[in-house]
Amino acid sequence: MAVTQERRMRAAAARRTAMLREEAARLHAEIDRQRDYIKAQDVTILEDRQEAARQVEGVTAALLEMTVDRDRMENAWRVASMEHQRLLRSTTWRITAPLRWAMSHIPTSVRRLVRREAR
């Protein structure tokens, strides 16, 4: 009877060992699957970061270009404004002010006639 019980215990131990080995194999497979998933996520994250870096570089370059354009336009506006002020302060502009005022109060048809005759 002791031999039979020992055989049963060995059989039970063998079954338990087989179950544990199967469970270990299943867990190793799950770990491998999770590891592969994490690696794929790492690659995706790296690609996303690289794309974001490229976009930041593009936006930075565009911003720099717009800043340069804005500075050029501001300088052109300053030059035009100074030229306009110089023209308004000129003697010729001041002398012709009464004539311009008078011309603005004359009907359009008469103004056209005066302009044609002045040519």
Side-chain angles (χ1 to χ4, degrees), residues 28-74:
H28 282 293
E30 178 64 18
I31 289 170
D32 289 343
R33 190 181 69 74
Q34 291 291 330
R35 187 177 294 130
D36 292 344
Y37 175 77
I38 290 169
K39 284 180 182 177
Q41 291 293 5
D42 285 346
V43 168
T44 301
I45 290 169
L46 180 62
E47 290 170 351
D48 289 348
R49 283 182 179 172
Q50 290 170 343
E51 178 60 26
R54 281 191 293 275
Q55 288 177 357
V56 167
E57 287 174 11
V59 168
T60 302
L63 179 61
L64 179 61
E65 186 177 328
M66 284 189 256
T67 302
V68 169
D69 288 346
R70 182 206 62 207
D71 291 346
R72 264 192 245 130
M73 285 188 259
E74 282 180 353

Side-chain angles (χ1 to χ4, degrees), residues 1-110:
M1 179 158 175
V3 173
T4 307
Q5 183 139 1
E6 187 179 327
R7 283 184 185 161
R8 280 189 216 149
M9 288 177 68
R10 283 186 183 177
R15 283 191 305 274
R16 179 77 176 144
T17 302
M19 283 178 26
L20 290 174
R21 283 189 178 137
E22 287 174 10
E23 182 66 14
R26 188 186 67 73
L27 290 174
H28 282 293
E30 178 64 18
I31 289 170
D32 289 343
R33 190 181 69 74
Q34 291 291 330
R35 187 177 294 130
D36 292 344
Y37 175 77
I38 290 169
K39 284 180 182 177
Q41 291 293 5
D42 285 346
V43 168
T44 301
I45 290 169
L46 180 62
E47 290 170 351
D48 289 348
R49 283 182 179 172
Q50 290 170 343
E51 178 60 26
R54 281 191 293 275
Q55 288 177 357
V56 167
E57 287 174 11
V59 168
T60 302
L63 179 61
L64 179 61
E65 186 177 328
M66 284 189 256
T67 302
V68 169
D69 288 346
R70 182 206 62 207
D71 291 346
R72 264 192 245 130
M73 285 188 259
E74 282 180 353
N75 287 335
W77 179 80
R78 279 190 203 101
V79 168
S81 180
M82 289 183 341
E83 181 65 22
H84 179 249
Q85 290 301 317
R86 188 183 66 74
L87 178 68
L88 292 178
R89 285 189 223 113
S90 72
T91 305
T92 305
W93 186 259
R94 289 180 189 178
I95 289 173
T96 59
L99 180 61
R100 287 192 314 277
W101 181 85
M103 288 298 285
S104 70
H105 289 81
I106 296 174
T108 307
S109 58
V110 176

